[in-house]
Amino acid sequence: MSKPAPRTPARAAARLAAVQALYQHEMEGTAIPSLLHEFHNHRIGATIEDVEYADADIDFFDDLVSGAHARAGEIDVLIEGKLAKGWTLARLDKPMKAILRAGTYELLARADVPVGAVITEYVDVAHAFYDRRETGFVNGLLDGIAKGVRG
């Protein structure tokens, strides 16, 4: 049996960048290949307006963005299935959708990453955008999805 992939700063940076890319895709409709190119060449590891973007695990980033996009229908059904009665995916704001979509994709497709690591990492990403209430929402929703897809 292979050892689970460790949590690393490069993977954490890849997750944050993937959420940003998925958000940009939803906001602007930018094609995924163009987004990947833009992030590879102009964001990841760059300094923009005095903000340093960390070096990221590029292959992992590409998998998260491409995979979440390719499996969007399946992912959105899983997310909606865990929302409270009366709530739909359309009611969530775009950064939250990007966080949940990337996290759900990772739970579905990246069995090499332990459930706890996935949830903790996306709660950390959520802290970049939200307060405690919303980060708790990310935790609970991804935990519910994990129980369904990973048992």
Side-chain angles (χ1 to χ4, degrees):
M1 189 162 125
S2 64
K3 185 177 178 182
R7 288 177 60 191
T8 65
R11 284 226 166 163
R15 288 179 178 99
L16 178 59
V19 166
Q20 292 169 327
L22 292 168
Y23 171 80
Q24 184 174 335
H25 173 72
E26 183 153 344
M27 289 297 294
E28 300 172 0
T30 308
I32 297 300
S34 296
L35 271 177
L36 296 177
H37 177 78
E38 177 183 332
F39 274 75
H40 292 180
N41 294 296
H42 303 292
R43 298 242 188 127
I44 293 172
T47 301
I48 302 170
E49 296 178 6
D50 296 327
V51 175
E52 272 189 54
Y53 289 80
D55 282 325
D57 179 331
I58 297 295
D59 292 336
F60 190 65
F61 165 79
D62 289 355
D63 180 49
L64 294 174
V65 175
S66 299
H69 180 260
R71 295 178 75 174
E74 175 186 8
I75 289 166
D76 288 354
V77 167
L78 288 169
I79 294 169
E80 285 206 323
K82 296 298 177 190
L83 294 175
K85 185 176 179 170
W87 275 81
T88 63
L89 198 62
R91 285 187 66 185
L92 299 178
D93 66 7
K94 288 173 179 50
M96 180 62 73
K97 284 191 268 190
I99 292 166
L100 295 174
R101 285 172 172 158
T104 300
Y105 170 76
E106 196 168 339
L107 289 168
L108 281 170
R110 298 299 304 234
D112 61 314
V113 183
V115 167
V118 173
I119 294 170
T120 299
E121 290 285 334
Y122 286 99
V123 167
D124 287 350
V125 169
H127 279 291
F129 299 95
Y130 299 106
D131 292 323
R132 183 181 191 110
R133 182 170 162 240
E134 289 86 355
T135 59
F137 173 75
V138 168
N139 183 53
L141 195 133
L142 290 178
D143 183 59
I145 289 172
K147 287 175 181 161
V149 300
R150 297 241 191 133

